[in-house]
Amino acid sequence: MTDFFRQRIKLLFYAWLFLGFVVPLEAKHYFVDDNGSDANNGTNVSAPFLTISKAAGLMMPLAVSSTCYIFPGNYSEQVEIYSNKNNGFMVFTRLSNSLPVLDGAGASNDIFTITNASRVILSGLVIRACTNSGIMILGNSVSNSIMQNEIYNNSRAGIMISGSEADCNRIEGNHIWKSTSQDYCIYILEGDSTEIRTNRLAQSGIYSIYLQGSITNTRIVNNQICSNSYGIYINYEGIDRNSIISNRIWKIGLFGIYIQQGDTNRIYRNLFADNLYGVYVDNGADGTEEINNTFFRHTYAIYNPGNAAN
């Protein structure tokens, strides 16, 4: 980053601080720049850390909320959040309109891992090019938010949640795209009450959204899903009482929505276009509700070989 650009960002930050647009003064804030140094104190925009991991290590034991502001640049590291000791938030976000890039550079680990931590917010980041998942949420990780990120070319999944008590997490406004080597855009293996909202999901290898495990009360709302083999795939006994509402699902090679197992799931007010199957509800799914959906140009709009009710 040029010195001129860095000075402009500093001036903008101090203006935001003066006007009260950032975290309260009792909260902690740290800065990271790919031209910084982990020997700096990191608490001043003029003396940033080099790595996000350095800031994360200081944020986890704090008793107050904290924010890590990340300058535009390229960061080749794997960040691990494994606790959050306070009742506030841990925020990792960009410092300017330009997005910082977390590049896995083919690393076998996940780029950003949240394990047994709550109220972590990741916003305004580019996360790309690892051989596992871009963002992984594990264990008892509750009420985390993944928002407004660009996530692509991660071999396993863009975002994955795997934890029997990984509940009430929010995935909103992300663009997960152009990932022909990526099996899943969003993969929920376990965890209840996940909110998947207003994401753009395209060109994954197989699945846009995949639910597998004991999952209830998840809401999939207002997403744009296109150019994958499967739009939304529900595949496990015990995936019950979930809602798929007001999504736009088009140009899917096989199934816009495929419910293989799971009971009393609701499919409301979705728009389907140019898919082989719009909605396919298999024999293992009972009590599926399909209401006020719109279909254009399908071989099969709704296919129900089992006991599902139209």
Side-chain angles (χ1 to χ4, degrees):
M1 186 191 314
T2 65
D3 290 338
F4 173 77
F5 189 36
R6 187 177 288 104
Q7 289 299 324
R8 292 291 299 274
I9 291 175
K10 291 177 186 176
L11 290 173
L12 285 171
F13 173 76
Y14 287 131
W16 293 338
L17 187 63
F18 177 76
L19 293 172
F21 290 160
V22 296
V23 293
L25 290 178
E26 63 270 17
K28 290 283 188 177
H29 48 262
Y30 297 95
F31 302 90
V32 175
D33 189 346
D34 62 358
N35 289 319
S37 170
D38 284 348
N40 290 336
N41 64 27
T43 59
N44 190 296
V45 71
S46 300
F49 291 136
L50 174 63
T51 65
I52 301 165
S53 296
K54 174 67 175 181
L58 295 173
M59 295 163 70
M60 282 186 280
L62 292 175
V64 295
S65 293
S66 56
T67 299
C68 174
Y69 294 102
I70 307 170
F71 281 92
N74 290 290
Y75 303 86
S76 295
E77 57 178 303
Q78 286 76 53
V79 182
E80 297 185 19
I81 306 298
Y82 47 85
S83 69
N84 186 4
K85 300 297 186 183
N86 63 79
N87 292 320
F89 294 90
M90 294 175 57
V91 182
F92 297 83
T93 189
R94 64 188 183 184
L95 186 58
S96 73
N97 289 331
S98 297
L99 302 183
V101 177
L102 279 71
D103 194 327
S108 59
N109 295 327
D110 310 305
I111 293 178
F112 220 114
T113 304
I114 300 170
T115 305
N116 298 326
S118 301
R119 299 173 301 279
V120 177
I121 299 174
L122 307 182
S123 178
L125 310 175
V126 174
I127 297 177
R128 70 184 187 192
C130 79
T131 58
N132 206 347
S133 298
I135 298 170
M136 175 71 81
I137 299 177
L138 297 169
N140 182 18
S141 294
V142 179
S143 300
N144 300 289
S145 297
I146 313 300
M147 305 172 64
Q148 305 294 331
N149 302 286
E150 298 275 349
I151 304 170
Y152 61 94
N153 286 351
N154 302 290
S155 295
R156 189 179 189 191
I159 299 170
M160 183 171 178
I161 298 178
S162 178
S164 60
E165 298 183 20
D167 301 335
C168 302
N169 293 292
R170 189 177 188 89
I171 302 171
E172 181 174 354
N174 302 282
H175 189 191
I176 307 177
W177 63 285
K178 206 172 184 177
S179 302
T180 54
S181 63
Q182 182 170 281
D183 292 336
Y184 311 92
C185 287
I186 298 172
Y187 184 180
I188 312 298
L189 183 56
E190 290 182 299
D192 296 334
S193 302
T194 303
E195 186 86 3
I196 304 173
R197 177 181 291 272
T198 61
N199 301 281
R200 293 178 291 158
L201 312 174
Q203 296 176 307
S204 181
I206 305 175
Y207 305 99
S208 300
I209 299 174
Y210 190 94
L211 306 185
Q212 181 182 15
S214 179
I215 298 169
T216 61
N217 298 317
T218 286
R219 287 168 46 87
I220 302 172
V221 183
N222 286 331
N223 299 281
Q224 298 184 43
I225 301 171
C226 72
S227 302
N228 300 311
S229 297
Y230 295 84
I232 300 170
Y233 193 113
I234 295 177
N235 179 27
Y236 198 80
E237 183 177 355
I239 302 181
D240 304 330
R241 302 185 306 279
N242 302 288
S243 300
I244 303 171
I245 303 172
S246 299
N247 300 280
R248 181 185 176 191
I249 303 172
W250 76 102
K251 292 186 178 180
I252 301 298
L254 294 173
F255 305 98
I257 296 175
Y258 185 4
I259 301 181
Q260 187 172 13
Q261 298 185 79
D263 298 338
T264 322
N265 293 293
R266 299 170 292 275
I267 304 172
Y268 293 173
R269 300 190 305 275
N270 299 280
L271 173 65
F272 300 85
D274 299 307
N275 309 306
L276 179 61
Y277 291 84
V279 177
Y280 189 109
V281 181
D282 215 335
N283 294 329
D286 295 327
T288 301
E289 298 179 0
E290 303 146 4
I291 299 175
N292 292 335
N293 298 287
T294 303
F295 300 88
F296 296 100
R297 299 181 297 276
H298 292 78
T299 303
Y300 304 96
I302 302 176
Y303 190 78
N304 294 42
N307 298 319
N310 290 315

